[in-house]
Amino acid sequence: MKAFRKKGELTRFQVLSEIARRQPYVRQRDIADELGITVQAVSENIKSLIAEGLVEAGSGRSHYKITRRGGEKLKRAAVSLRQYADEVLDYMSSYKSIWPAIAWEDLSAGDEVELFMDDGVLYARRRTNGDAHAIVMKSASEGEDVALTELGGTIPLQRGKVTIAVLPGISEGGSGAADLERIMELTHGQDRIGIMGTVSRAAATRLNLNVDFEFATPYAALAAAKRGLNVLVLAVGKMSRSITKKLEEEGIEYSIEDVRVNRRK
């Protein structure tokens, strides 16, 4: 859109348009309110337009009128803007929202599929009676990512629960003062495990746990729970507060288990 390549050209076009629409009596405050800019910005643009010979000032304080040259420039810019808008509308008329999923089975272009979550992953399979549905855009083999369009319905999803195991800090004995046996019990039935703090890393290593996330754990645990996964988080002392706050904000169910041996006696 060549007419508006230079910085500020679009604003100048708008100011010129407002002058043409309101002339000969033009209040700068009215233009500023209409365009959402300051009166000073309107004043500076009008001065620039007058200097270029596109606008001329009348005898009155607020009398302005676009010149013949200004009218021609305004028409050219308006035509350029309309052509650009038409191109955008043409593109949007053929635009389709595209969403990815994993193919549960071999799928062909045009297949109607149903969507479901499994282990936190969104899958697509040929539709039987699933509420959430879509159309396959391009064929995909089982396990591949598949492009979907025309999404509809609701994906059935039950939120997971987060269990937070509070470990002792290093001044309290660190992982050596944690009830490792209890931590192992808490891992049962969990889909993901996250850790917060060096002591938690040491405890996970001693128990040979497969840690799924270690950084930005509050966000990762929240995202996993919202996808229907149960999560165990090992957190050192007050670190647990940062995760409980986010879970409460999102209405995620959680429980806290104190695995500090000295605190449980």
Side-chain angles (χ1 to χ4, degrees), residues 220-249:
L222 175 60
K226 292 173 72 173
R227 284 176 168 262
L229 300 177
N230 292 321
V231 182
L232 171 64
V233 175
L234 308 185
V236 179
K238 295 180 181 180
M239 287 185 180
S240 61
R241 295 179 183 177
S242 63
I243 186 170
T244 56
K245 180 180 178 181
K246 293 195 175 297
L247 297 176
E248 289 170 356
E249 290 174 350

Side-chain angles (χ1 to χ4, degrees), residues 168 176-180 258-265:
D179 187 342
L180 300 182
D258 194 332
V259 295
R260 295 174 289 187
V261 174
N262 294 337
R263 293 294 184 91
R264 296 173 62 188
K265 290 181 178 181

Side-chain angles (χ1 to χ4, degrees), residues 200-214:
S200 294
R201 161 51 66 187
T205 300
R206 293 177 65 170
L207 293 170
N208 197 29
L209 298 181
N210 182 24
V211 175
D212 297 292
F213 34 82
E214 183 172 2

Side-chain angles (χ1 to χ4, degrees), residues 158-210:
Q158 182 176 359
R159 288 188 167 190
K161 177 182 177 181
V162 177
T163 302
I164 304 169
V166 180
L167 280 70
I170 193 64
S171 62
E172 300 175 289
S175 62
D179 187 342
L180 300 182
E181 183 177 343
R182 178 56 181 155
I183 294 176
M184 281 302 299
E185 292 175 356
L186 294 174
T187 63
H188 298 158
Q190 305 293 345
D191 300 301
R192 297 289 188 273
I193 296 178
I195 60 174
M196 298 178 67
T198 303
V199 171
S200 294
R201 161 51 66 187
T205 300
R206 293 177 65 170
L207 293 170
N208 197 29
L209 298 181
N210 182 24

Side-chain angles (χ1 to χ4, degrees), residues 26-88:
V26 181
R27 293 181 63 227
Q28 294 184 13
R29 166 60 64 184
D30 293 338
I31 296 179
D33 292 342
E34 180 68 23
L35 302 183
I37 58 179
T38 64
V39 175
Q40 181 181 356
V42 174
S43 177
E44 291 175 353
N45 275 280
I46 289 179
K47 290 178 181 178
S48 175
L49 292 170
I50 292 175
E52 280 192 51
L54 304 178
V55 171
E56 58 184 19
S59 56
R61 180 180 178 183
S62 300
H63 283 71
Y64 300 100
K65 183 179 179 180
I66 64 171
T67 63
R68 180 177 180 179
R69 180 183 172 191
E72 292 174 349
K73 182 177 180 65
L74 185 60
K75 288 180 181 178
R76 289 195 301 271
V79 169
S80 177
L81 183 61
R82 183 171 61 185
Q83 291 175 340
Y84 181 75
D86 287 342
E87 291 175 4
V88 173

